[in-house]
């Protein structure tokens, strides 16, 4: 049949019926675990659909189950900026930690008793799925929480991810974890082994390896599952949609996701207080081995959204949720040797070289020993038999020595007096546990780390500058300070081993593009001790200008949110060092720029936006939303994502949507663009 001929309505109708029916069977099989037809019957339906679509390619829509077999391979994954950041969770390792978490929540909320939603903590990969008008349009990995990788094609191959939702809100982000269930993992490994292919150490690695394939046809052959554990952005609430847009508790959201046909853990519970949470932990711990998927603990979430909002966030984790991890797994092995590693700030970390041992799901051959005192405290000697511990995804450590097995060959560890990388003296200051290489940026190890830190995505975001290249340019002495990066030329780069002109060109473009940055990124990139991303943001926000930070006295620095004496001193020390000021000046001379503003320190107390909560919606003509946010924050406002009773103003640009309705409903004052600009001035 030629596809130019008009499509009989009957063919289209049949295709629609088959699509629905097949998705229904996939749901029964992969989500409910209760298939109602045999595999052969399923194949029969599937082949009928396939044949109809092959005859009429224009009818094979993106949401057809036949599209779940994978698409053409990609060259690379594109980046996706998450609408709502994907956060991480704080950890609890003991009953005391859980009790302390519960107390913090109760104290903040001023209540005696809190309701918690409890869930298994899946040991897989965090994923965000975006549905627009009920259609699955995009799926992304967590990445650094703000920006992830677009793995849509791969996710489409996962049968438990619905491609269509009935009656969904205009926009819905579903958050959850991609895992490989235990039985699927066993089967996959058996198949790999039978085909002489590599086997995977654990389900988590198998899931990660399968999802991060550029060829989605390969992913399609790997049995992955998606478990939903929450939602991100929701816009354009509708009735129906399983009630997902109306939920006022996390547990109601989970029930709604189940009604929308997502796979959700059956082992969920709503409990009261730390006592209820700990009972849940015991109960799940008892079932851990018989669960169909690997978990590394449980998660407690304050159930009510109003209470969640009140508790808010610290840095990159919510205050209203915590992961309670199962105790670490342990194994016994031999300490073969102790090497030292040099970090970005010159810190010398002794690292245990171990006889490889399988613990907590992976083979461990190195473990951190933190510092010299720690080695003495534990009484470790090289050649000792030791207990190695690994808690979830935390770096393995040497827990203790088994003295009964010590032999006469055991020898004491001696801290080297000179840096293994640059030969400079290793020094340990009075009262400090950490020994440091005194070579500073003369030390290639420190230079290499400094360059990597400077270039990383959350700092200057220099695309194309990874570990290998950092190694090469430092070794070839092309880069001694970050400013040297901006002086690299094509000739010097192209002279490096295995460096094609194209990659050199790409790197130079990446470097050029990084020149436009923000003050917060720049501050973070400098690598000042104790100044992480969150602190850099706080400093940038409250001072507004680099010069003010560089010259701020200790007391002024300490006035900043979350900046204590240690951080303040470290900032002061950094900028008191003429060499560092010189690097900053050179970077500016190389053309690095960022927006500067007045900072909030001078303004918070007055002005129409001081201390107010503002929501931005619609498109502004005179500035981007990011700029509007910066201006508001500089004037002491808090910019929120959604309208609530706590909102003071809604700034409405063109085509403002549901937030405007909400503002009207709650009688929140709405500012149009010109009023807004007037108030800014
Ligand atoms: S909630 C706001 N629930 O654990 C926090 N996370 O350390 C959002 N995870 O990357 C996470 N099971 O991928 C949540 N039931 C569960 C989870 C879960 C596993 C992972 C998640 C995240 C990590 C947080």
């Amino acid at each position: 049949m030629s596809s130019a001929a008009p499509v009989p309505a009957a063919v289209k109708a049949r295709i629609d019926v088959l699509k629905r029916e097949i998705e229904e069977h996939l749901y029964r099989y992969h989500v409910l675990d209760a298939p109602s037809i045999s595999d052969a019957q399923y194949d029969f339906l599937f082949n009928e659909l396939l044949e109809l679509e092959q005859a009429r390619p224009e009818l094979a829509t993106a949401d057809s189950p036949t599209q779940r077999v994978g698409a053409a391979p990609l060259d690379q994954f594109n980046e996706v900026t998450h609408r709502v950041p994907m956060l991480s969770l704080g950890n609890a390792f003991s009953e005391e930690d859980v009790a302390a978490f519960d107390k913090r929540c109760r104290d903040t909320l001023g209540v005696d008793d809190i309701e918690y939603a409890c869930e298994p903590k899946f040991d897989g990969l965090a994923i965000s799925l975006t549905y627009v008008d009920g259609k699955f349009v995009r799926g992304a990995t967590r990445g650094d929480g703000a920006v992830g990788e677009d793995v849509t094609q791969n996710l489409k191959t996962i049968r438990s991810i619905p491609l269509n939702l009935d009656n969904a809100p205009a926009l819905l982000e579903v958050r959850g974890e991609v895992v490989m269930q235990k039985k699927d993992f066993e089967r996959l490994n058996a198949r790999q082994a039978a085909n002489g292919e590599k086997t995977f150490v654990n389900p988590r690695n198998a899931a990660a390896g399968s999802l991060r394939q550029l060829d989605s046809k390969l992913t399609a052959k790997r049995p992955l599952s998606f478990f939903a554990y929450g939602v991100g952005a929701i816009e354009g609430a509708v009735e129906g949609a399983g009630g997902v847009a109306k939920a006022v508790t996390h547990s109601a959201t989970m029930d709604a996701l189940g009604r929308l046909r997502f796979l959700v853990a059956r082992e969920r519970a709503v409990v009261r207080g730390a006592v209820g949470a700990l009972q849940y932990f015991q109960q799940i711990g008892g079932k851990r081995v018989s669960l169909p998927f690997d978990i590394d603990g449980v998660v407690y979430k304050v159930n009510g959204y109003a209470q969640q909002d009140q508790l808010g966030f610290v840095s990159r984790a919510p205050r209203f949720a915590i992961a309670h991890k199962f105790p670490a797994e342990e194994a016994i092995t031999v300490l073969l040797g102790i090497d030292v590693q040099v970090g970005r700030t010159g810190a010398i970390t002794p690292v245990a070289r171990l006889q490889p041992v399988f613990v907590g799901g992976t083979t461990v051959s190195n473990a951190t020993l933190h510092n010299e005192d720690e080695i003495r405290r534990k009484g470790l000697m090289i050649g000792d038999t030791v207990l190695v511990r690994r808690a979830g995804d935390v770096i393995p450590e040497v827990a203790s020595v088994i003295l009964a097995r010590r032999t006469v060959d055991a020898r004491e560890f001696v801290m080297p007096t000179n840096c293994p990388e640059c030969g400079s003296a290793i020094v340990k200051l009075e009262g400090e546990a950490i020994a440091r290489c005194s070579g500073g940026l003369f030390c290639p190890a420190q230079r290499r780390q400094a360059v990597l830190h400077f270039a990383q995505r959350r700092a200057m975001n220099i695309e194309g500058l990874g570990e290998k290249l950092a190694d090469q340019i430092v070794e070839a002495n092309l880069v001694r300070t970050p400013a040297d990066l901006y002086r690299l030329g094509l000739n010097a780069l192209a002279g490096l081993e295995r460096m094609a002109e194209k990659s050199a060109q790409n790197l130079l473009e990446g470097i050029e593009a990084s020149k436009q940055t923000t003050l917060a990124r720049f501050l973070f990139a400098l690598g000042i001790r104790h100044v992480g991303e969150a602190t850099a943001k706080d400093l940038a926000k409250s001072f507004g200008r680099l010069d003010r930070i560089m010259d701020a006295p200790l007391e002024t620095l300490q006035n900043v949110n979350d900046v204590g004496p240690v951080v303040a001193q470290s900032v002061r020390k950094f900028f008191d060092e003429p060499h560092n000021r010189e690097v900053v000046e050179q970077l500016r001379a190389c053309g690095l720029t960022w927006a500067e503003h007045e900072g909030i320190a001078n303004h918070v107390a007055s002005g129409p936006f001081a201390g107010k909560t503002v929501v931005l919606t619609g498109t502004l003509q005179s500035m981007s939303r990011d700029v509007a946010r910066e201006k508001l924050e500089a004037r002491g406002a808090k910019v929120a994502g959604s309208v609530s009773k706590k909102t003071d103003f809604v700034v409405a640009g063109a085509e403002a949507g549901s937030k405007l309705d909400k503002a009207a409903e709650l009688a929140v004052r709405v500012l149009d663009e010109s009023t807004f600009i007037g108030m800014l001035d």
Side-chain angles (χ1 to χ4, degrees):
M1 201 191 304
S2 135
S3 49
V7 183
V11 173
K12 207 167 167 301
R14 179 65 187 153
I15 285 182
D16 283 343
V17 168
L18 284 168
K19 282 204 288 202
R20 282 212 156 248
E21 212 170 301
I22 290 169
E23 284 293 313
E24 173 72 23
H25 289 305
L26 289 177
Y27 171 66
R28 289 196 192 173
Y29 187 95
H30 293 280
V31 177
L32 297 182
D33 201 11
S36 58
I37 58 173
S38 68
D39 288 4
Q41 283 170 305
Y42 175 84
D43 290 344
F44 188 79
L45 292 172
F46 191 86
N47 286 328
E48 184 186 349
L49 178 60
L50 205 55
E51 279 168 23
L52 289 176
E53 286 181 347
Q54 275 164 359
R56 294 282 175 187
E58 72 277 18
L59 296 181
T61 53
D63 64 352
S64 169
T66 56
Q67 305 298 304
R68 288 186 181 274
V69 293
L74 304 173
D75 296 332
Q76 57 166 55
F77 295 119
N78 286 327
E79 287 192 349
V80 176
T81 302
H82 300 299
R83 279 188 182 76
V84 176
M86 293 182 77
L87 304 168
S88 58
L89 291 170
N91 289 327
F93 290 102
S94 64
E95 298 198 353
E96 290 73 36
D97 290 350
V98 175
F101 162 74
D102 177 54
K103 181 166 184 323
R104 276 198 305 276
C105 292
R106 279 188 286 118
D107 288 351
T108 309
L109 296 173
V111 297
D112 294 335
D113 192 24
I114 295 180
E115 189 173 274
Y116 293 105
C118 307
E119 297 165 1
K121 183 169 189 302
F122 302 101
D123 198 6
L125 277 95
I127 288 291
S128 179
L129 306 174
T130 305
Y131 290 83
V132 172
D133 294 328
K135 293 220 179 307
F136 174 55
V137 293
R138 183 156 302 109
T141 60
R142 175 169 182 271
D144 62 7
V147 179
E149 287 179 327
D150 185 334
V151 286
T152 311
Q153 289 304 339
N154 300 9
L155 291 167
K156 268 187 161 182
T157 69
I158 301 179
R159 282 17 180 217
S160 48
I161 294 183
L163 300 179
N164 281 296
L165 308 176
D166 277 338
N167 271 330
L171 175 87
L172 174 65
E173 276 179 353
V174 177
R175 300 278 163 88
E177 198 97 341
V178 164
V179 302
M180 192 175 285
Q181 301 202 36
K182 291 178 191 168
K183 63 172 190 329
D184 295 325
F185 170 74
E186 302 296 341
R187 226 179 291 152
L188 172 68
N189 258 358
R191 193 173 81 203
Q192 295 280 105
N195 294 337
E197 286 176 68
K198 89 167 194 174
T199 55
F200 296 95
V201 268
N202 58 36
R204 208 200 99 82
N205 285 8
S210 304
L211 196 65
R212 298 202 71 265
Q213 289 290 342
L214 289 167
D215 183 357
S216 50
K217 294 212 162 67
L218 253 167
T219 312
K221 295 193 186 120
R222 302 281 174 76
L224 299 172
S225 304
F226 174 81
F227 281 90
Y229 59 59
V231 290
I234 303 186
E235 281 171 24
V238 293
E239 291 298 318
V244 74
K246 279 194 314 194
V248 295
T249 59
H250 176 75
S251 55
T253 296
M254 294 306 295
D255 295 341
L257 289 174
R259 287 192 291 272
L260 282 174
R261 304 192 146 204
F262 286 93
L263 183 56
V264 288
R266 289 184 197 151
E267 299 75 14
R268 284 173 289 131
V270 175
V271 304
R272 297 206 77 91
V275 172
L278 292 171
Q279 271 169 0
Y280 176 82
F281 180 77
Q282 291 300 337
Q283 183 208 336
I284 294 292
K287 296 202 233 184
R288 184 177 180 187
V289 284
S290 61
L291 288 177
F293 42 79
D294 273 353
I295 62 173
D296 55 352
V298 301
V299 184
Y300 310 130
K301 303 174 183 174
V302 170
N303 201 21
Y305 286 144
Q307 290 190 328
Q308 286 192 2
D309 287 346
Q310 232 177 307
L311 286 159
F313 302 85
V314 261
S315 194
R316 302 207 286 147
R319 281 206 194 82
F320 54 78
I322 198 163
H324 188 176
K325 296 279 189 84
F326 290 131
E329 293 184 45
E330 296 177 336
I332 286 171
T333 189
V334 178
L335 178 61
L336 299 175
I338 298 179
D339 294 345
V340 298
Q341 265 175 7
V342 190
R344 175 167 62 81
T345 56
I348 302 280
T349 313
V351 178
R353 302 287 170 222
L354 302 167
Q355 197 156 58
V357 62
F358 197 70
V359 46
T362 47
T363 302
V364 168
S365 43
N366 301 315
T368 175
L369 292 169
H370 303 290
N371 56 55
E372 198 180 357
D373 294 349
E374 184 83 0
I375 297 176
R376 308 275 171 249
R377 200 174 56 73
K378 287 182 173 153
L380 293 179
M381 287 171 78
I382 298 165
D384 270 345
T385 297
V386 293
L387 188 69
V388 175
R389 180 180 293 156
R390 185 171 170 275
D393 41 14
V394 179
I395 303 169
E397 58 168 7
V398 173
S400 59
V401 50
I402 299 167
L403 278 179
R405 298 229 203 138
R406 177 166 289 167
T407 67
V408 286
D409 305 330
R411 49 197 174 86
E412 194 88 37
F413 164 71
V414 188
M415 183 60 116
T417 48
N418 295 86
C419 170
E421 300 268 353
C422 72
S424 302
I426 290 180
V427 291
K428 201 160 122 180
L429 296 181
E430 271 293 310
E432 275 211 24
I434 309 261
R436 286 174 200 281
C437 159
S438 57
L441 287 183
F442 170 72
C443 174
Q446 291 183 54
R447 244 184 294 165
R448 179 173 164 275
Q449 305 279 344
V451 166
L452 278 174
H453 173 84
F454 185 83
Q456 67 173 293
R457 182 143 80 187
R458 289 187 277 134
M460 299 303 291
N461 192 19
I462 301 184
E463 231 165 277
L465 185 51
E467 293 209 9
K468 274 216 189 82
L469 211 66
D471 257 351
Q472 280 185 300
I473 53 180
V474 165
E475 201 158 308
N477 237 332
L478 295 177
V479 173
R480 255 162 265 118
T481 76
D484 291 336
L485 280 171
Y486 294 89
R487 302 188 187 113
L488 286 172
L490 198 54
N491 282 343
L493 281 177
L496 294 173
E497 220 177 298
R498 280 190 302 275
M499 171 66 104
E501 184 159 328
K502 183 86 184 90
S503 341
Q505 192 59 47
N506 285 346
L507 175 62
L508 289 178
E509 278 166 23
I511 290 174
E512 189 59 33
S514 74
K515 286 184 180 173
Q516 283 274 7
T517 185
T518 64
L519 179 53
R521 279 173 178 272
F522 180 74
L523 268 179
F524 175 53
L526 288 177
I528 306 169
R529 271 182 78 197
H530 305 298
V531 177
E533 205 185 358
T535 306
K537 280 188 182 159
D538 287 341
L539 286 169
K541 195 152 108 187
S542 91
F543 285 93
R545 291 171 190 272
L546 182 62
D547 293 333
R548 288 212 192 116
I549 303 174
M550 290 173 69
D551 298 331
L554 274 181
E555 312 76 70
T556 319
L557 286 164
Q558 282 192 55
N559 282 341
V560 176
N561 216 357
D562 288 336
V563 170
V566 175
V567 181
Q569 228 155 51
S570 170
V571 173
R572 219 24 295 131
K573 218 173 114 200
F574 185 90
F575 288 116
D576 283 345
E577 181 70 57
H579 168 78
N580 290 332
R581 295 182 90 96
E582 172 67 27
V583 169
V584 168
E585 286 325 312
Q586 288 180 9
L587 284 165
R588 278 176 154 166
C590 290
L592 263 67
T593 54
W594 55 83
E596 301 214 312
H597 58 78
E598 290 308 305
I600 54 169
N602 311 321
H603 293 269
V604 261
S606 65
F609 292 117
K612 301 289 190 219
T613 300
V614 184
V615 172
L616 293 163
T617 181
T619 316
L620 296 173
Q621 305 302 316
S622 57
M623 65 186 94
S624 72
R625 257 203 226 192
D626 282 341
V627 172
R629 167 191 292 267
E630 263 179 32
K631 287 188 187 286
L632 282 165
E633 286 176 347
R635 285 159 180 77
K638 182 176 157 228
V639 179
S642 59
V643 182
S644 74
K645 274 182 283 188
K646 283 187 260 164
T647 311
D648 296 294
F649 301 110
V650 170
V651 177
E655 279 154 42
S658 60
K659 287 178 189 163
L660 215 47
D661 304 338
K662 186 83 189 202
E665 190 183 308
L666 296 174
V668 173
R669 181 159 171 217
V670 176
L671 308 175
D672 62 18
E673 186 162 352
S674 61
T675 317
F676 170 57
I677 290 171
M679 285 169 71
L680 284 178
D681 293 340

